Amino acid sequence: MPRRTAIVATSLLAAGALLLTACGGQSEPSSTTTAPPDPDASAAIRLVLEPENLDIRQTAGAALDQILVDNVYEGLVARTPEQEIVPSLATDWTVSPDGLTYTFTLREGVTFHDGQELTPQDAVWSLATRKATPEWRDSARLANVESITAEGQDIALRLAEPDSTLLWNLTGRAGLVFKEGDTVDYSTAANGTGPFRLDDWRQGDSITYSRNEEYWGDKAQVAEVVFDYIPDNQAALNAALAGEVDVVTGFDANLKDQIEQSGDFALVLGQSTDKGTLAFNQKDGSPLADQRVRQAIRQAIDHDAFVEALASGETQYGPIPSLDPGYEDLADVAPFDPEAARALLEEAGVEDLELTLTIPNFYSTTIPQILVSNLNDVGITLEVDSVDFSTWLNDVYINQDYDLSFVLHTEARDFENWANPDYYFTYDNPEVQDLYAKSLAATDEEEAAALLAEAARIVSEDAAADWLYNGASVVAVGTNITGMPSINVNERLDLSELAKSNG
């Protein structure tokens, strides 16, 4: 029996995080071995970006969500890679006809990794503390919740007004349940309810999980998982060929032949909500405050070139990827047209424009190379500033000190960032904010999605940013591995069904 049973849910939007890597559709390769899974196996998985600390309550970045959510920490509800909302610490839930009361039945017999029992009060405390603590990530996602109470095993959330994103939000950080009064040092340790326990963190190298033998659901099928942090793709390839890792995530699809040559690995391209986002700093005084300049940059960029260079993914011309509600193909808004780009720059009175692109140094140099060439063709000189991720977070994400910036936003349903004028995108359009607010208040999924689509077109027409490509989840999977997720693996990596055979 599967650990979680999918049920129909009426969620729509949510979330805001970021990270890395490069959509196709196939799932996982079939195992070529006839040997049964080894319950004592250790599986090594290559990841790219190591978290700076493990405090998922307060620290930004999808590097934490990727490994901790589902595996170590859980919420009342969860979501599958295919974006279905499913039960987790709650066995089921109901929604009142007016959409203002959500009642969850807490699962019994659940314990934290330290052996303490999960109680309804833990869930109430976790959600109430999240809501009341702005320093905790995604606190604002519970702003519409007026009260959180427990009666027996039932936990009730009462809202001030309908919120089409609530269930979805509860599948992420906003819904994680911690032990009230826990004294664990969250920056270096963890105490969750999930199928894996955190065993060891060798900073700069790896993180090791062990199976939680007291897990409330089906036990993990491997005894140990080791996340090896290997930023360089060639080094990751070498590790795979040397038998040092069993799975390579965030891989370069151009290296398909090399990693498949021995027959020990198969490359899998899965769908993704990864958005290769070129942000424009639109603050007053910047040449990018002029919509014509931003539109010129968009039309100077050959989006097909990124998909061809990455050997994966698909083009994207707006803020919503094809997996998310509200998606519309917006290629008509910014077609590749260098001549039109030059005309827009001339109309804006811009000559010899010099800009700096700030980009984390773990991304392929192919991305800035294409941008430098494309913009040079229309008379824009682009200087590339390749920085470590902590510098990017400080300079771009926090201080908004940049001209252009590139990062791959991995979070699903994160349109809210375009309705937040304080976000590092520096985009402020009251009409978009109003449409987003209406989509939140909608109680009908189709209506909410239509409002998002309308808002997304305005964002694209405003040239609020450029979306270079919608990345694929590129994963090289050992042929003795089954149960490895292949969809949205840069965002969430539920390893509860991962299995490894030794044959």
Side-chain angles (χ1 to χ4, degrees):
M1 183 175 178
R3 185 167 67 89
R4 293 175 175 141
T5 304
I7 68 173
V8 177
T10 57
S11 79
L12 265 171
L13 287 153
L18 30 97
L19 182 66
L20 39 38
T21 288
C23 259
Q26 98 194 66
S27 155
E28 65 173 271
S30 299
S31 174
T32 59
T33 179
T34 57
D38 178 6
D40 298 321
S42 174
I45 300 176
R46 177 269 186 145
L47 297 180
V48 179
L49 185 62
E50 182 180 16
E52 293 186 340
N53 68 70
L54 301 180
D55 191 349
I56 197 167
R57 303 168 308 163
Q58 303 186 67
T59 306
L64 287 175
D65 302 71
Q66 186 183 36
I67 63 170
L68 291 176
V69 182
D70 301 318
N71 296 314
V72 174
Y73 296 114
E74 299 174 303
L76 297 174
V77 288
R79 62 181 184 254
T80 69
E82 294 78 16
Q83 315 302 293
E84 292 180 282
I85 297 178
V86 295
S88 185
L89 294 178
T91 57
D92 53 61
W93 68 86
T94 60
V95 183
S96 63
D98 61 6
L100 295 179
T101 302
Y102 289 68
T103 304
F104 301 86
T105 301
L106 189 67
R107 194 178 298 275
E108 298 189 52
V110 178
T111 58
F112 287 91
H113 294 160
D114 65 359
Q116 296 185 77
E117 180 185 0
L118 168 69
T119 69
Q121 178 57 29
D122 292 322
V124 171
W125 175 83
S126 297
L127 296 173
T129 304
R130 176 81 60 175
K131 172 180 166 59
T133 311
E135 293 79 17
W136 283 27
R137 304 297 302 179
D138 292 352
S139 171
R141 298 189 189 284
L142 301 180
N144 200 28
V145 178
E146 281 193 327
S147 68
I148 306 166
T149 58
E151 182 176 343
Q153 290 296 111
D154 288 343
I155 298 163
L157 277 65
R158 293 181 176 82
L159 281 60
E161 57 187 26
D163 183 348
S164 64
T165 69
L166 179 66
L167 278 176
W168 179 267
N169 289 337
L170 291 176
T171 68
R173 292 199 195 195
L176 295 181
V177 175
F178 303 92
K179 184 64 184 177
E180 183 179 13
D182 209 337
T183 58
V184 66
D185 180 356
Y186 286 100
S187 64
T188 58
N191 183 31
T193 58
F196 290 98
R197 303 170 182 265
L198 172 67
D199 259 4
D200 182 50
W201 181 19
R202 298 172 57 193
Q203 295 188 32
D205 182 76
S206 63
I207 291 176
T208 301
Y209 287 173
S210 63
R211 178 169 51 224
N212 176 15
E213 300 292 354
E214 283 72 48
Y215 186 56
W216 58 264
D218 293 340
K219 305 298 185 292
Q221 298 188 54
V222 291
E224 181 181 79
V225 172
V226 180
F227 299 113
D228 284 321
Y229 290 97
I230 310 174
D232 180 71
N233 269 313
Q234 185 60 50
L237 172 62
N238 293 340
L241 297 179
E244 296 170 358
V245 294
D246 302 296
V247 176
V248 184
T249 70
F251 197 53
D252 183 349
N254 289 293
L255 299 176
K256 172 182 169 68
D257 291 343
Q258 290 95 312
I259 202 163
E260 289 187 339
Q261 186 175 12
S262 68
D264 293 332
F265 285 86
L267 193 73
V268 182
L269 299 182
Q271 289 182 291
S272 165
T273 56
D274 296 356
K275 300 162 288 291
T277 306
L278 183 67
F280 301 149
N281 194 328
Q282 301 160 53
K283 290 181 178 178
D284 290 344
S286 166
L288 297 172
D290 190 323
Q291 188 271 349
R292 295 168 297 183
V293 175
R294 302 194 302 270
Q295 181 71 11
I297 292 174
R298 293 194 71 192
Q299 295 202 242
I301 295 173
D302 181 1
H303 292 74
D304 290 327
F306 291 95
V307 175
E308 293 169 4
L310 296 170
S312 61
E314 58 189 13
T315 56
Q316 183 173 336
Y317 296 89
I320 299 178
S322 57
L323 278 179
D324 283 354
Y327 169 74
E328 178 186 0
D329 183 355
L330 297 174
D332 62 301
V333 176
F336 178 49
D337 190 341
E339 185 175 343
R342 295 186 197 97
L344 282 167
L345 291 171
E346 183 177 355
E347 180 184 328
V350 173
E351 295 182 8
D352 302 321
L353 181 59
E354 297 181 2
L355 297 169
T356 298
L357 170 70
T358 305
I359 181 171
N361 56 17
F362 48 74
Y363 289 117
S364 166
T365 57
T366 301
I367 293 168
Q369 286 170 355
I370 293 172
L371 290 172
V372 168
S373 176
N374 284 174
L375 296 188
N376 183 67
D377 287 345
V378 299
I380 298 175
T381 300
L382 186 64
E383 178 182 340
V384 179
D385 186 14
S386 182
V387 300
D388 61 63
F389 193 58
S390 60
T391 299
W392 183 91
L393 283 171
N394 183 72
D395 294 352
V396 178
Y397 188 72
I398 296 174
N399 294 324
Q400 300 178 3
D401 182 14
Y402 71 98
D403 292 333
L404 301 176
S405 175
F406 174 86
V407 77
L408 196 64
H409 283 255
T410 66
E411 186 65 26
R413 306 188 186 192
D414 61 351
F415 184 83
E416 64 186 26
N417 295 328
W418 301 102
N420 178 7
D422 296 325
Y423 197 65
Y424 87 94
F425 292 154
T426 68
Y427 176 66
D428 187 358
N429 186 318
E431 184 179 5
V432 169
Q433 294 157 24
D434 180 62
L435 287 167
Y436 179 66
K438 289 178 178 176
S439 78
L440 293 182
T443 56
D444 176 77
E445 286 191 17
E446 291 186 5
E447 179 188 358
L451 288 163
L452 285 177
E454 183 179 352
R457 176 168 283 276
I458 295 171
V459 171
S460 186
E461 290 174 345
D462 282 347
D466 196 29
W467 300 271
L468 304 183
Y469 59 92
N470 175 196
S473 290
V474 183
V475 187
V477 183
T479 51
N480 62 340
I481 295 289
T482 58
M484 176 65 195
S486 63
I487 299 174
N488 269 350
V489 298
N490 297 322
E491 180 197 20
R492 297 269 281 267
L493 196 56
D494 183 346
L495 299 176
S496 60
E497 297 183 3
L498 183 76
K500 178 181 177 180
S501 62
N502 291 324

